[in-house]
Amino acid sequence: MPTALVTGASAGLGQAFARRLAAEGHDLVLVARDEPRLGTLADRLRSRHGIGVEVLVADITDDVQLATVEKRVASEDHPVDLLVNNAGIGTSEAFWDVETDTLQRQLDLNVTAVLRLTHAAVPRMRARGRGDVLNVSSVSGFFTVSGSTYSASKAYVTAFSEGLSSSLAGSGVRVMALCPGLTRTEFQERAGLTIRSVPKALWLDADTVVHESLADLRAGKAMSIPSLPYKALVALGRLVPRALQRLIVTRTAPGRT
């Protein structure tokens, strides 16, 4: 059986990836901080699908705990065939109102963990001539969002994944950035975001995002943007000059009249 390692697996997109990959017959390595939720998920997936599930309780913003996950990713005893770098956090406050420790933790999780786990996986995958890395980014990474360190971190993930995908062409190793729009998960609540004005058509279902992203990965795409409305939004955004993007964002930001 192939083995998939999923970070941030206890909820949201990470849990949706775990359910889908288990149903496809993957053995799983589930990584998150929430041990009770991971344990419950692991038991359910083992029972339902008859697969092997390892639980790695780890805060991958911590160097020591991240090193433990890196070691598992790089293991040749039970190789990881698919790495899903899903864990990530956002913030709702203005940049100047956020503590630097919080901003550093966001950078460590959204960027550093993605970089280090991908680096642990790719050399072994290249040596085997096969393997996949799916890095969860965001549509927001395509736009100049006022004061958003989250968008900046996701812009890095997208650019990093696309560049690495090009470098690995012909190696049998695929790397893809998944760039979803607003998805119904716990992410908004954890980030302290209140979003009421977005049309229902722009809200995505986590299982649908996972389905589309895995299809795109297996089709060899370097980037996946689930749903036609978000594909159109990104295409349109690429035609709008950065200066105009900044003007629009500034004039529509909360707190302005």
Side-chain angles (χ1 to χ4, degrees), residues 61-88:
T61 65
D62 177 85
D63 276 347
V64 174
Q65 295 179 60
L66 176 58
T68 299
V69 182
E70 283 179 296
K71 184 177 179 181
R72 178 60 188 88
V73 170
S75 172
E76 292 294 349
D77 293 334
H78 194 173
V80 170
D81 302 284
L82 168 61
L83 168 64
V84 181
N85 280 313
N86 164 75

Side-chain angles (χ1 to χ4, degrees), residues 4 7 18 28 38 56 62 64 71 86 132 139 155 185 192 203 217 224:
T7 67
L28 295 174
L38 276 186
L56 270 181
D62 177 85
V64 174
K71 184 177 179 181
N86 164 75
D132 296 318
V139 159
T185 67
W203 281 99
L217 175 69
S224 176

